[in-house]
Every structure is written in C-alpha cells, then in structure tokens.
Amino acid sequence: MEKIIPSVKGTRDFYPEEMAIRSWLYQTLREVSESFGYQEYDGPFLEKIDLYAAKSGEELVKEQAFVFPDRGGDLITLRPELTPSLARMVAQRQRQLTFPLRWWSFGPFWRYERPQKGRTREFFQWNIDLIGANSPESDAELVAICVAFFKKTGLKPDQVGVFVNDRRLMDAELENLRITNPEMKKQVFRLIDRRDKMRPEDWAAYAIEVGLSVDQFEGLKAILDNKELWKNSPDMQRFFEALRAMGADEYVHYNPQVIRGLEYYTGTVFEAYDLARDGRAILGGGHYDNLVADVGGEPLPGVGFAMGDVMIGLVLQKYGCLPPLGISPADVLVTVFDETLLIESQKAARQFREMGLKTIGYTEVVRLPRQLKFADRMNIRFVAIVGPDEAAAGQVTVKDLVRGEQFTTTVLDAGELIKKMLA
RNA sequence: GUGGCUGUAGCUCAAUGGCAGAGCACCUGACUGUGGAUCAGGUGGUUGUGGGUUCGACCCCCAUCAGCCACCCCA
C-alpha cells in the first residue's frame, strides 16, 4: 500500500460521528438564532487581502492568515473572520436593507496559528450580529441569545457563564484616575487584560512600566476588584434589567476585567467561559459604533459575537451535553440470499423506502451471518430476509435485532409493523 | 514566532543498547437460512521520516515531520 498523504496541519477529518456532531451544532445554532428572528447569510470563503488590510492590523494578515497568489497574481486570503465581509455586504446595500438587521452565519474560517487545545487552523464559527441598533437592550439581546444557546444544549449556570463589561464605563473610570491620554488608555486596557495571566508582582511592575503612578495603580486595582462597578453606569443598569426580563441573568456576571483585544469594540464587551476556567474563551463579542467605518457609508452601530466550534465542542463534551452517538443510518437492512434473489431483495428495499423507512439494500452476495453482523455493527434494528421460501410466498422475514424476535409477512405489512415498532 | 512532552500492529500501550510483545479489534472455524456471547486457530510491523554513534539502536545523538500542551496572539 502506498503511503497515506497526511492531512494539512491543524485540520480535522470529520468522520460520520464527528460530522453528526457538527450538523447537530449547526442545527442547534439555527434554531436558537431563528427563535430570535435572525436571518442566515454567508460571505465568500475567499477574499482579497485588501479587505483585511484595510481594517485589521498588519499582523493579522501577515502572520495569521492563509494568503496565496492566484493565477492572475492577486493575493487571496482564506477568510480569518467574517466581520469585514459582513461590513462590505451591509455597506453595498446600506440604502436597501431594513434596519435593525438581525443576521447570523455558521461556516469555516482559517488562521495560520500553532494548533493547541481549543484551537485549530481550520474551524467553524457562529457569527451573529444585530446591526443598526444602539441601545443597552440590543446588547442584552445578543447576550440573551448566547444564554439561550447554553440552555438549549443543557449547559448549566454553574458550568458556564457570560462575563460582561462596558468600555465606556471603564473609560470614565480611567478618566477619574486622570488617565486621559488615548495611547495611555490603550496601554492600560492591555494591562487590565493581562492581569490574570501574570503574577501580581510582575503585573505591578508592568503597571509602573506603562507609566501609572502609585495612586493610579491602587485606584485601578480598586476598580478591577469592584464587582458593583456596573452600578456607576446607567446603560449597564438598563442592560442587566433587560437581561432579567429576558430570563438570561442567571448565566451573566459583571466583571470589570473583561476588555477584549479587539479595538473596534466601543461599548459593551462580553465573553463566555467554562466557570472552571478550563481552556480558552467559548465566545466573545461586544458593541461597536460603526461596522462600515473602513468601507465608507453612514455610521452603523451594532452588537455581535462569534463562537468557534472547537472550544464549545470541548465544553459540551466535558459536561456531557453532546447528542448521543451510534445513531443508525437506516431502519432496515434487506439481505441478499443468493444471486437469483438479488433483484427480489432490491424490490423489497424499494418498497420499504417508499413507505418512508430508511433502508439499506445489501448489494453484494455474501453469507447471511455476515449481513446480520453488518446490521448489528451499523445499529440497524431490523433485518428483512428475502429467501427462496419468502420469495415464493411474496413475503419477507423480518428480524428485530434488539428484541431477537422475528416474523414473516408481506413487505407492506412488515413495513407497517416496523414503523409502529419504531414509533 | 518561542519552549516542553510524545510518536512502536487498525486502536490503547509494553519491551536494561542484545530474537518487537500484550489486550482489544479484525479474519477463519465450531454454526451450509440468522448478529451479539463463548471456545479454538490465524492475519497483522521499514518502531513517523532522514542521517549519525555502535560489533549491534524502538532505546543514545542530530535534523525533520506530525500530535498534544504552555507561551505569543486571539479578528
């Protein structure tokens, strides 16, 4: 045998078991998204590099995207995120679309990163946005959607949580500490983001390096340790009140340390975690002032989030929330007795299918035990045997592999009985 | 991009520098029109790849590829 050419680093093969999970996830996301009245959309998987160069940092495109020249010499990128494509799609029809826009998508993305737990180079992502809305209640709606997803999958509020903050609130709090320089604020945001990843003494040293005075540093720590800080913001108060009204507050926590790396978030920011702090963020999102800022067009505020399939898959597996495996591809297997009866078996299989039963007709002439074993392995509950006796009488013998019982009757009767037993 | 751990049968893993093994799975039979269970037998390997050291390498060294993990980053 020739050597098997290995798959591309960081990609996954989806065998039927994994594919079933992916399809289930897609279906669940669809149901949750649609229950809030969101419409499905998608952009191209290939985009010109310029689309990202305009908006994202140089680093993203140069180091974390798959980029290659096409035959005409243009640089093409396998999309690393959906937002720029969304911005273009919205800007192109800004005058025709009806706002507020509620759109969702689930599709593949690529990032040239080093694979590790919860991170692959090829992954699927749920993107959902409410565009052309600017209220705390619209921000709350998106958080309520991700809570609805958790509820639907069976994840409990003591297993996962959504942590929320508001950048404008943080901005105001920093102003109170006389941190007013925009560049300085950016650095302090980064400092806040790093707090949990560094030892306290290193973090303090970093704070001094950034240029904070001792008073400012103490003030910052007080802010970050204040779980009631949200009460200083009327918008956050409205946000939490809306969440309660939507029945989502159980899962949602205020955390002044949530900042998010993305520069385009301007208001509410949030991310969901396994409460055991196991692994990376499950999802992240927030409020932005202008989706189409880099594409031109009227300023368009909105709120949205993205969730990758890899991390949520790990969390769902950890908490036993994945759908059961070993689901059968068929209800009935029609066996083949010998070459002379091959056609009879195929006719019977067709009749079963026409009655709405998922039916596999064996297409090889092999010994019966082998065919029964096949049915057993494939979790096919019913085996219909068409032997010389049955063929002569216009009947089939149906064996129920779960109960170990069997009966002989016409195909039509057998089909009805099987349907009853499956119900 | 940086660092650590690991690559042996289809799978999970053994093997002081001295004959490459086990369990599970698979195949055959016991059982010529009936799956699972049991028993008996059997197939299965360029030890990731390429070099080096050695009388001799799964084992030591170098490189490389892949997987996992942590950094970095997280759109």
Side-chain angles (χ1 to χ4, degrees):
Chain A
M1 196 165 112
E2 286 184 38
K3 269 184 193 164
I4 295 170
I5 295 169
S7 54
V8 174
K9 181 175 182 146
T11 62
R12 292 165 292 167
D13 290 328
F14 289 87
Y15 287 86
E17 305 89 90
E18 291 92 21
M19 195 62 207
I21 291 171
R22 189 172 114 193
S23 299
W24 167 83
L25 182 62
Y26 194 177
Q27 183 57 30
T28 306
L29 299 176
R30 173 184 304 283
E31 286 167 15
V32 171
S33 304
E34 290 181 349
S35 78
F36 280 80
Y38 285 63
Q39 294 174 289
E40 188 176 13
Y41 76 101
D42 206 349
F45 298 176
L46 299 178
E47 291 278 13
K48 288 189 183 178
I49 194 171
D50 314 62
L51 182 70
Y52 306 100
K55 177 194 154 292
S56 319
E58 288 285 293
E59 193 183 347
L60 162 61
V61 178
K62 280 187 180 165
E63 295 179 20
Q64 293 187 317
F66 281 84
V67 180
F68 53 90
D70 67 12
R71 290 176 189 274
D74 284 342
L75 282 178
I76 303 296
T77 303
L78 281 169
R79 62 179 188 185
E81 60 163 327
L82 190 57
T83 305
S85 305
L86 171 62
R88 181 192 57 223
M89 288 170 68
V90 171
Q92 279 170 177
R93 298 197 178 175
Q94 195 159 359
R95 297 291 159 82
Q96 305 162 47
L97 293 167
T98 304
F99 295 94
L101 214 63
R102 288 177 165 84
W103 283 9
W104 72 279
S105 183
F106 181 72
F109 295 87
W110 295 265
R111 292 179 196 169
Y112 196 82
E113 297 179 292
R114 192 118 169 209
Q116 58 187 265
K117 188 168 189 177
R119 190 165 84 181
T120 56
R121 285 184 173 183
E122 180 180 68
F123 57 96
F124 286 77
Q125 203 173 67
W126 179 31
N127 283 267
I128 181 161
D129 286 271
L130 171 49
I131 301 158
N134 210 13
S135 65
E137 289 74 22
S138 62
D139 294 352
E141 175 170 304
L142 269 288
V143 173
I145 289 170
C146 79
V147 169
F149 168 74
F150 291 153
K151 283 184 178 174
K152 192 167 191 81
T153 57
L155 289 169
K156 303 291 181 221
D158 61 342
Q159 295 169 333
V160 295
V162 188
F163 297 88
V164 182
N165 195 10
D166 187 328
R167 283 197 168 182
R168 282 165 309 190
L169 169 63
M170 295 309 284
D171 230 57
E173 295 295 329
L174 293 188
E175 297 270 349
N176 288 344
L177 293 176
R178 299 179 320 282
I179 300 168
T180 50
N181 177 308
E183 191 54 37
M184 180 75 166
K185 273 184 189 163
K186 217 164 143 184
Q187 296 232 39
V188 174
F189 276 159
R190 176 155 176 78
L191 175 71
I192 294 169
D193 198 40
R194 303 278 302 154
R195 190 183 189 188
D196 285 342
K197 293 177 182 171
M198 299 174 80
R199 293 184 315 191
E201 56 268 35
D202 291 341
W203 189 67
Y206 184 24
I208 303 305
E209 195 181 312
V210 165
L212 292 186
S213 71
V214 173
D215 281 355
Q216 285 174 325
F217 181 57
E218 291 306 318
L220 180 63
K221 280 198 289 189
I223 289 171
L224 297 183
D225 292 332
N226 181 8
K227 298 295 173 194
E228 305 285 304
L229 193 70
W230 61 276
K231 290 181 178 169
N232 296 352
S233 160
D235 280 352
M236 280 269 97
Q237 289 178 27
R238 277 172 63 185
F239 171 88
F240 279 109
E241 196 180 339
L243 272 183
R244 275 194 297 280
M246 290 187 270
D249 53 307
E250 257 189 316
Y251 287 81
V252 185
H253 314 271
Y254 176 73
N255 183 346
Q257 248 167 265
V258 173
I259 290 294
R260 306 286 308 153
L262 258 182
E263 281 188 32
Y264 64 69
Y265 291 132
T266 51
T268 308
V269 284
F270 56 91
E271 51 197 21
Y273 274 98
D274 180 347
L275 289 186
R277 283 281 163 173
D278 191 0
R280 324 169 68 76
I282 295 168
L283 59 83
H287 184 100
Y288 40 84
D289 278 340
N290 190 3
L291 176 73
V292 297
D294 299 305
V295 197
E298 303 293 312
L300 207 44
V303 52
F305 68 83
M307 181 186 82
D309 72 313
V310 182
M311 195 58 219
I312 188 63
L314 291 171
V315 172
L316 289 167
Q317 181 173 40
K318 175 180 170 184
Y319 292 114
C321 294
L322 290 174
L325 293 173
I327 298 162
S328 173
D331 306 315
V332 186
L333 175 77
V334 181
T335 61
V336 174
F337 187 78
D338 61 22
E339 279 174 30
T340 65
L341 290 169
L342 189 50
I343 292 298
E344 280 309 312
S345 291
Q346 290 176 325
K347 281 182 187 166
R350 171 190 165 189
Q351 283 183 279
F352 283 132
R353 282 184 206 113
E354 284 174 353
M355 295 178 77
L357 290 164
K358 288 187 282 182
T359 306
I360 292 178
Y362 216 88
T363 51
E364 307 293 317
V365 181
V366 299
R367 295 178 54 212
L368 198 53
R370 198 182 171 83
Q371 297 182 60
L372 279 154
K373 193 168 188 169
F374 173 80
D376 187 48
R377 291 282 178 80
M378 298 296 282
N379 276 317
I380 300 169
R381 180 169 171 189
F382 295 98
V383 174
I385 298 162
V386 185
D389 301 341
E390 289 87 349
Q395 296 181 320
V396 292
T397 294
V398 172
K399 178 162 185 174
D400 180 343
L401 295 193
V402 172
R403 299 194 181 184
E405 298 163 352
Q406 65 182 54
F407 56 87
T408 303
T409 183
T410 64
V411 176
L412 289 180
D413 280 351
E416 290 303 331
L417 285 167
I418 289 169
K419 278 161 82 173
K420 271 183 201 160
M421 293 169 87
L422 286 172

